[in-house]
Amino acid sequence: MSSSHQISAIRQQLDHIDHDLTKQLIARFQSIQSILHAKQGLDWPARDHGREAQILQGIQALAEQENVDPSPIVRLFKTIMQESVKLQKKARGHAPSPQTLPPSLSEALEKKSYKLASRLNHIEDSLVSVNEVVIGGDHRTVIAGPCAVESEGQIMECAAQAKQQGAHILRGGCFKPRSSPYSFQGMGVEGLKLLENAGKEYGLPVVTEVMAIDQVEVVAKHSDLLQVGARNMQNFDLLRALGKAGKPVVLKRGLMATIDEWLSSAEYVMAHGNRDVILCERGIRSFDQSTRNTLDISAVPVVKERSHLPVIVDPSHAAGKWQYILDLSRASFAVGAHGIMIEIHPKPEEALSDGPQSLKFDRFEALMLAVSPWL
Ligand SMILES: C=C(O[C@@H]1C=C(C(=O)O)C=C[C@H]1O)C(=O)O
């Protein structure tokens, strides 16, 4: 059969699939209409994060059972569920979309440098799924791992400890933004593979920093969550590229960034196609040098007021000294953060970067016990 005939034949198959898919979606949205009335009678909210997480887990498992990458299917279902929620809200008469916002709110939204990230545009908390881990809303998440991947043994030890202590995501820098060109720059792609293997070994999604556009593809290939460091918060070309990377992004606040600048940077990623953005407060530069940076703890309630995006805190980079990190972690959850990101190391005194702010494993265990009321 010629290629053109082959294409026609496959397109006919696709037409049949699309037909069935459309009929299924019609049936699904009709069910949504039915459930909304029942929920309205019980005064239940339109959105049910737990139910959505349950659905996504089922889809993920089915895709993996079929040996298919679940990511695109999960993203599609998140869109379907977002539309389901909008349908319910519209039916209830309080869809918060800009065109139906009261003039004063519409005008306020128009004046903002960020819209997709704005709470005015999306009343409910957003959830970001990193594999099976759900960040945001009522969920509380711990990300833990070394500042940098240094060796297979080191990252495996950290992954084991993170898993054992109940952390949800493994971190590990591979491309390191260092103030000095003479400092350890990270293990690069080799480190990515070690991190990926450690995450798979212990069933933990992994997060690592991406520093440049030409790294996006390889970092996205080997990790589940892409981190934008504080110094790259306004690297707009990188933010645009991450809109198309197909992986959730954790966006650190710049050292001297206002909250609106931070949210405007999140908007870049969202406006270019990626709604899965997590904000990370990591401390700001201030006049006082008692800590490496000054943890702007007030940023958490402020950003939650202005945006629906999940917000986590990185006490390690804020404090710069291990002895403050447990208390700052408790403060972060107490003030409403959706998660914390903690640096750990088997021997911080031998760490190639950020040793002074890395927790020994016994201290990390104490921290996890201290924040357990929120987990
Ligand atoms: C349908 C419901 O409402 C919403 C839409 C969902 C969906 O599209 O599957 C799931 C949970 C809710 O966020 C429900 O609560 O079950």
Side-chain angles (χ1 to χ4, degrees):
M1 183 189 292
S2 72
S3 299
S4 61
H5 284 110
Q6 272 184 322
I7 290 170
S8 300
I10 296 167
R11 282 176 172 172
Q12 277 184 7
Q13 287 174 349
L14 286 170
D15 289 342
H16 289 306
I17 292 169
D18 290 347
H19 177 269
D20 293 345
L21 212 49
T22 304
K23 292 191 71 176
Q24 289 298 319
L25 284 170
I26 289 168
R28 193 181 201 281
F29 282 120
Q30 285 167 343
S31 300
I32 298 294
Q33 291 284 4
S34 311
I35 206 171
L36 87 86
H37 297 306
K39 286 167 73 174
Q40 215 157 0
L42 296 168
D43 198 25
W44 284 13
R47 183 148 204 199
D48 182 329
H49 294 299
R51 166 65 178 159
E52 291 189 16
Q54 176 195 23
I55 292 169
L56 294 178
Q57 282 165 8
I59 287 152
Q60 173 117 12
L62 179 56
E64 286 170 352
Q65 187 183 307
E66 300 292 322
N67 292 316
V68 166
D69 175 8
S71 305
I73 301 171
V74 165
R75 283 197 297 276
L76 278 172
F77 263 88
K78 280 165 51 173
T79 301
I80 291 170
M81 293 193 285
Q82 281 170 5
E83 291 304 321
S84 302
V85 173
K86 279 182 196 169
L87 203 64
Q88 293 180 64
K89 288 179 177 177
K90 199 169 185 179
R92 292 181 178 192
H94 54 83
S97 55
Q99 56 270 23
T100 62
L101 286 173
S104 57
L105 286 182
S106 285
E107 284 160 16
L109 194 58
E110 268 316 300
K111 290 173 187 159
K112 287 207 175 292
S113 57
Y114 55 90
K115 298 164 177 41
L116 298 172
S118 172
R119 179 83 68 178
L120 291 177
N121 190 36
H122 192 287
I123 299 294
E124 308 255 337
D125 284 354
S126 283
L127 281 183
V128 175
S129 298
V130 181
N131 293 2
E132 301 82 16
V133 178
V134 179
I135 300 175
D138 300 330
H139 302 268
R140 295 296 177 263
T141 306
V142 176
I143 301 171
C147 172
V149 176
E150 297 172 354
S151 67
E152 181 173 20
Q154 174 248 21
I155 191 62
M156 282 293 185
E157 274 191 84
C158 289
Q161 181 65 209
K163 186 70 174 183
Q164 182 184 330
Q165 297 305 334
H168 307 91
I169 297 176
L170 176 67
R171 62 148 290 147
C174 302
F175 296 97
K176 295 298 298 171
R178 305 305 306 277
S179 304
S180 164
Y182 308 115
S183 303
F184 173 60
Q185 302 293 308
M187 293 184 69
V189 176
E190 186 193 350
L192 286 177
K193 291 173 182 173
L194 294 177
L195 177 67
E196 181 183 29
N197 290 339
K200 283 180 177 163
E201 179 70 23
Y202 289 94
L204 293 169
V206 298
V207 56
T208 193
E209 182 166 357
V210 54
M211 287 175 52
I213 293 175
D214 63 4
Q215 294 171 2
V216 170
E217 186 177 349
V218 70
V219 175
K221 180 181 176 187
H222 295 287
S223 64
D224 305 292
L225 177 59
L226 306 181
Q227 178 179 305
V228 176
R231 292 162 186 79
N232 271 318
M233 188 205 85
Q234 291 187 315
N235 181 338
F236 300 119
D237 286 340
L238 177 61
L239 298 176
R240 290 189 191 95
L242 291 172
K244 307 259 180 296
K247 290 281 172 75
V249 171
V250 57
L251 175 66
K252 287 202 172 182
R253 182 182 177 184
L255 288 74
M256 307 281 279
T258 65
I259 288 176
D260 277 354
E261 287 168 341
W262 186 17
L263 288 172
S264 299
S265 288
E267 189 82 4
Y268 264 92
V269 181
M270 301 176 79
H272 286 81
N274 187 352
R275 302 295 166 96
D276 291 329
V277 178
I278 299 157
L279 302 166
C280 181
E281 160 62 39
R282 46 75 75 201
I284 53 178
R285 189 59 58 86
S286 82
F287 59 87
D288 184 67
Q289 300 302 305
S290 307
T291 51
R292 184 173 180 185
N293 297 283
T294 297
L295 180 60
D296 180 9
I297 204 78
S298 59
V300 175
V302 170
V303 92
K304 287 176 76 174
E305 179 184 58
R306 296 185 190 176
S307 177
H308 53 88
L309 295 175
V311 55
I312 66 174
V313 172
D314 175 350
S316 302
H317 282 87
K321 298 172 183 172
W322 66 266
Q323 60 265 38
Y324 304 133
I325 294 169
L326 184 150
D327 290 332
L328 292 181
S329 298
R330 288 162 53 92
S332 299
F333 279 126
V335 80
H338 294 110
I340 55 174
M341 178 142 65
I342 303 295
E343 288 184 331
I344 63 175
H345 196 287
K347 294 181 180 173
E349 67 280 4
E350 297 175 8
L352 298 179
S353 56
D354 287 355
Q357 67 195 46
S358 298
L359 295 185
K360 290 182 178 180
F361 291 165
D362 59 343
R363 290 172 179 150
F364 177 56
E365 183 178 8
L367 182 151
M368 289 300 282
L369 184 62
V371 302
S372 57
W374 289 281
L375 300 183

